[in-house]
Amino acid sequence: MKKDEVGHNFLARLGKTRLRPGGKKATDWLIANGDFDASKKVLEVACNMGTTAISLAKQFGCHIEGVDLDELSLEKAKKKYRSKWFTRQNSCTASQCHEIAF
């Protein structure tokens, strides 16, 4: 790992695609108990490359705002968002937290 490299970028280079505090089991529990639906607007802080945000938008049709401080991760998230099919009700954005009106 390079001295100035963000930890999740290092792990991504090693092939890790999902970084979840508490692991996938904790994330799945939060999603199952989150009362998500198409009327909800969800803020995902530290969205990294947008994997969970895209999954939530696809599964529930809710609007997701993803924010992260790492510019490289945000660019990857934005690329993923553009490559997926999203409607107005089912969309995601990635930005710095000071750039959104939530």
Side-chain angles (χ1 to χ4, degrees), residues 31-81:
I31 291 170
N33 291 281
D35 192 32
F36 296 105
D37 63 44
S39 71
K40 303 294 170 69
K41 186 173 183 182
V42 179
L43 175 64
E44 183 183 13
V45 177
C47 69
N48 198 348
M49 293 181 267
T51 303
T52 301
I54 289 170
S55 177
L56 284 171
K58 282 180 165 180
Q59 187 174 355
F60 299 102
C62 50
H63 179 84
I64 307 289
E65 293 283 340
V67 297
D68 202 291
L69 293 176
D70 182 55
E71 294 292 335
L72 181 60
S73 292
L74 289 176
E75 287 307 313
K76 289 179 180 179
K78 289 175 184 178
K79 184 177 179 181
K80 286 171 92 174
Y81 296 163

Side-chain angles (χ1 to χ4, degrees), residues 22-37:
K24 186 171 181 340
K25 185 175 180 180
T27 300
D28 290 344
W29 182 89
L30 287 169
I31 291 170
N33 291 281
D35 192 32
F36 296 105
D37 63 44

